[in-house]
Amino acid sequence: MVSSNFTTRNARMEDLPILLDFEQQLIKAERPFDITIREDPVSYYDIKAMIDNDDACVLVIEHEREIVASGYAITKRARHYLDHEFYAYLGFMYTHPNFRGKGLNARIVESLKQWADSKGLAEMRLTVYEDNIPAVKAYEKVGFKKHISEMRLE
């Protein structure tokens, strides 16, 4: 259970240096799962643009004025054959190693779910490397279910 010493809030521009570091930590952690990630420098997200985007929500969790976790949701158009037109896509889910196992990921997901609901987005999706067992378990714990597998051939 998350203690009251943690505060969830919207990211601000002044958070950008920390968030860019979190992004690099994510990339470093995911490299063993994906040999196709280019060599550095590489970036996954345009965090700066998402902070100012009404169709996105970038959240951070603070502990004693230090940012220790992050995540975002962004509105995406669904494929034309699905039963929903738009959905919330989650990403940038990162928790500093010293704060893992404290329910912070669940707290971010719940807050992003509230944001998605406020935008009328009933569907939430994310991608996770199948071999990243801790991440898969964390997402399953908050209600996500495996839906489709992407495969590749060299």
Side-chain angles (χ1 to χ4, degrees):
M1 197 76 206
V2 179
S3 85
S4 60
N5 293 334
F6 294 92
T7 304
T8 305
R9 66 168 175 81
N10 290 319
R12 300 184 290 250
M13 283 301 171
E14 57 263 29
D15 301 329
L16 202 51
I18 294 162
L19 297 178
L20 292 173
D21 179 62
F22 280 9
E23 178 186 34
Q24 292 308 304
Q25 296 305 315
L26 269 171
I27 292 165
K28 182 179 175 182
E30 290 182 347
R31 279 190 190 281
F33 301 110
D34 190 343
I35 62 170
T36 68
I37 297 174
R38 285 182 301 174
E39 293 299 316
D40 288 330
V42 65
S43 178
Y44 284 169
Y45 317 109
D46 187 347
I47 300 165
K48 184 177 181 181
M50 283 192 285
I51 289 172
D52 280 338
N53 185 345
D54 288 338
D55 288 327
C57 177
V58 182
L59 297 178
V60 298
I61 294 181
E62 286 183 325
H63 176 69
E64 297 177 0
R65 298 185 185 182
E66 177 186 359
I67 296 173
V68 299
S70 65
Y72 79 74
I74 191 163
T75 302
K76 286 199 169 191
R77 182 174 292 281
R79 295 182 184 207
H80 69 280
Y81 53 80
L82 296 178
D83 66 359
H84 53 282
E85 189 174 359
F86 295 96
Y87 64 96
Y89 179 83
L90 276 57
F92 193 39
M93 307 300 285
Y94 179 79
T95 301
H96 188 282
N98 295 344
F99 294 90
R100 292 182 183 157
K102 299 184 183 303
L104 300 182
N105 185 63
R107 188 170 176 165
I108 291 271
V109 170
E110 182 55 35
S111 294
L112 292 174
K113 184 177 183 335
Q114 291 172 12
W115 175 84
D117 289 344
S118 77
K119 296 287 187 178
L121 304 170
E123 176 93 7
M124 289 177 49
R125 293 183 180 220
L126 56 79
T127 55
V128 60
Y129 291 104
E130 192 172 326
D131 292 336
N132 188 348
I133 304 304
V136 170
K137 287 183 179 184
Y139 296 129
E140 288 175 338
K141 189 174 181 178
V142 296
F144 281 92
K145 295 177 182 148
K146 291 180 183 176
H147 177 66
I148 193 168
S149 291
E150 181 175 306
M151 301 175 78
R152 62 182 286 274
L153 177 67
E154 291 186 62

